[in-house]
Amino acid sequence: MKPTIKVNDVNNFQEHKHESIEAKYANISQKIGAEKLGYNITIVSPGKKSWPFLNHHVIEEMFIILDVECTLRYGDEKYPVKKMIS
């Protein structure tokens, strides 16, 4: 176990598809030694959503956008998000 991971080395993705939802995800928490937080790598197909709109009342989520432009839905608001490093 190392506290780092190469995204290209992750190969245990699970897929979920349903109407406008299409994504692959892999839990990497154990691979990086995380014990208190959960970490996933999620790949969202172009023009699709990763999951139906939902709201957590007890936990927080953080998204790091590596490559693409997308829209973050937060409550009733929508925010454009794009890669800042070229």
Side-chain angles (χ1 to χ4, degrees):
M1 187 281 307
K2 307 186 288 190
T4 62
I5 194 167
K6 292 181 182 177
V7 174
N8 292 338
D9 290 344
V10 177
N11 56 15
N12 60 328
F13 286 93
Q14 298 179 34
E15 292 188 45
H16 64 252
K17 294 181 182 183
H18 182 71
E19 297 176 0
S20 63
I21 297 161
E22 187 173 323
K24 297 189 301 185
Y25 60 95
N27 183 304
I28 60 165
S29 301
Q30 289 182 335
K31 290 183 179 187
I32 61 172
E35 295 179 5
K36 296 182 181 179
L37 293 175
Y39 296 90
N40 289 326
I41 293 176
T42 304
I43 300 170
V44 183
S45 299
K48 300 292 183 174
K49 300 173 185 174
S50 61
W51 205 257
F53 186 72
L54 61 112
N55 187 15
H56 296 290
H57 296 281
V58 180
I59 64 170
E60 295 181 343
E61 287 184 305
M62 177 174 58
F63 297 90
I64 299 171
I65 309 302
L66 298 177
D67 186 28
V68 296
E69 294 185 12
C70 61
T71 302
L72 169 68
R73 295 176 294 156
Y74 186 79
D76 293 333
E77 301 294 321
K78 293 184 180 181
Y79 300 91
V81 179
K82 64 182 178 178
K83 180 174 107 170
M84 297 183 63
I85 301 170
S86 37

